[in-house]
Amino acid sequence: MTYQITTEPLPGVLARPGTGCYGVFDHGAHVWAWQPDGARPVLWLSEHSRFAEGQAVRGGVPLIFPWFGPGPQGGLKPAHGFARTSVWSREAIAELNGDLTVRYRLDDSMVGEQPNFPHPFSATLTVGFSAAAVDVAFGVTNTGTVPFTYEDALHTYLAVGDILGVSVEGLDAMTYYDKTAADPAAPCLQDGPVTFARETDRIYVDDSGGLLVVDPSWSRQIRVEKSGSANTVVWNPWTVKAAAMADFGDEEWPTMLCVEAANIGANAVTLAPGETHVTTQRVSLG
Ligand code: BG6
């Protein structure tokens, strides 16, 4: 397998092992494709995504940092922080026996003045592509002299045949917060597998490390494992939200599901000077 440095639609690294595809953009250190040989794409990418500086890519694995959504108290912009729209430095590419590893770095000197996050930090994103899995590891180090707190998420978009038949196993009996409920701060309890019949936007308190997305329509299962993450976000915008997003096709919502490894709100990460935290996620078939 050989990889290429690409410039279209954004600069990044692309490999085509046989019939498959592995791809990551420097913009946002954004993993956008993992398709093992002979399989359908596992990561979903909208046909309406923007691919432009300063814009978030709709699909793949947006990297959410240093706040989730509008932040813990609300009102922060850009939504989901600045990491996904920053251009990261590509530090290393390694290829071994058909596996490809790409490592990126971002630090405070590269992101301009950030009044909502005025902290010295150094972040790394390492993605490992293989025939068996895509592994994403996001590390943050406090390079300053006082502690800081951040939220993060590996906001992974999974491709499914039909969301109406999909179930997510592994979150049974977990507490979650339903962002579509009248009171999004009211805790709810998951009963059995998660199924989808309307807009779904939930933050689970879940550090269990593994779940399974069962997709009968495509006769496959996607395993999502994680570490360093106290929350799992499950999101499908359904009809109205999909129609409201300019970079999301009105008819695309049945074909995707986000399963995010996150640390949000009460579970935000606090780092002492010199300390590092790593959030990881592994996506595989079967
Ligand atoms: C999810 C949030 O993580 O991201 C949703 O829980 C949000 O509330 C979604 O709508 C997409 O966010 P964005 O900023 O990429 O449109």
Side-chain angles (χ1 to χ4, degrees):
M1 183 190 66
T2 51
Y3 64 83
Q4 302 162 258
I5 306 299
T6 53
T7 53
E8 291 293 331
L10 288 168
V13 183
L14 175 70
R16 293 202 175 276
T19 58
C21 183
Y22 308 157
V24 57
F25 296 133
D26 303 345
H27 171 284
H30 195 124
V31 178
W32 63 271
W34 179 63
Q35 179 178 9
D37 275 359
R40 297 176 193 268
V42 178
L43 299 182
W44 181 89
L45 185 65
S46 172
E47 288 180 12
H48 299 257
S49 179
R50 302 184 180 108
F51 299 106
E53 237 175 79
Q55 307 269 5
V57 171
R58 180 68 70 191
V61 187
L63 181 48
I64 308 310
F65 170 84
W67 57 83
F68 182 85
Q73 276 79 47
L76 300 188
K77 285 197 172 137
H80 283 329
F82 51 76
R84 66 175 173 169
T85 50
S86 297
V87 177
W88 291 56
S89 165
R90 195 192 313 130
E91 303 278 286
I93 308 176
E95 198 202 324
L96 187 67
N97 301 330
D99 297 354
L100 181 71
T101 303
V102 187
R103 199 177 78 242
Y104 286 94
R105 183 179 59 80
L106 185 76
D107 65 40
D108 52 286
S109 72
M110 298 160 67
V111 296
E113 197 142 317
Q114 295 291 340
N116 294 318
F117 195 76
H119 307 294
F121 72 90
S122 176
T124 57
L125 187 286
T126 306
V127 54
F129 298 100
S130 74
V134 57
D135 285 284
V136 181
F138 173 55
V140 178
T141 301
N142 180 346
T143 54
T145 53
V146 291
F148 65 68
T149 298
Y150 69 92
E151 298 178 304
D152 71 348
L154 299 171
H155 191 310
T156 303
Y157 286 76
L158 301 173
V160 295
D162 181 5
I163 191 73
L164 295 172
V166 166
S167 56
V168 178
E169 296 177 358
L171 295 170
D172 187 26
M174 305 260 178
T175 297
Y176 68 89
Y177 297 91
D178 183 348
K179 291 172 73 178
T180 70
D183 179 5
C188 309
L189 201 61
Q190 181 63 40
D191 184 12
V194 184
T195 54
F196 300 86
R198 59 182 180 85
E199 181 192 353
T200 303
D201 193 354
R202 299 177 179 178
I203 300 175
Y204 285 84
V205 180
D206 163 37
D207 62 0
S208 66
L211 56 76
L212 200 61
V213 175
V214 181
D215 179 9
S217 169
W218 279 355
S219 306
R220 74 177 187 184
Q221 300 187 341
I222 304 173
R223 187 170 294 283
V224 185
E225 297 160 276
K226 64 171 190 168
S227 66
S229 155
N231 299 112
T232 297
V233 179
V234 177
W235 180 61
N236 180 290
W238 223 251
T239 51
V240 175
K241 277 264 171 68
M245 289 185 279
D247 61 346
F248 195 117
D250 294 3
E251 309 302 331
E252 287 185 315
W253 60 270
T255 64
M256 58 69 68
L257 168 66
C258 283
V259 175
E260 310 169 31
N263 294 290
I264 300 170
N267 296 113
V269 177
T270 298
L271 291 180
E275 212 178 347
T276 298
H277 178 84
V278 184
T279 303
T280 75
Q281 195 183 46
R282 159 175 275 230
V283 176
S284 57
L285 284 176

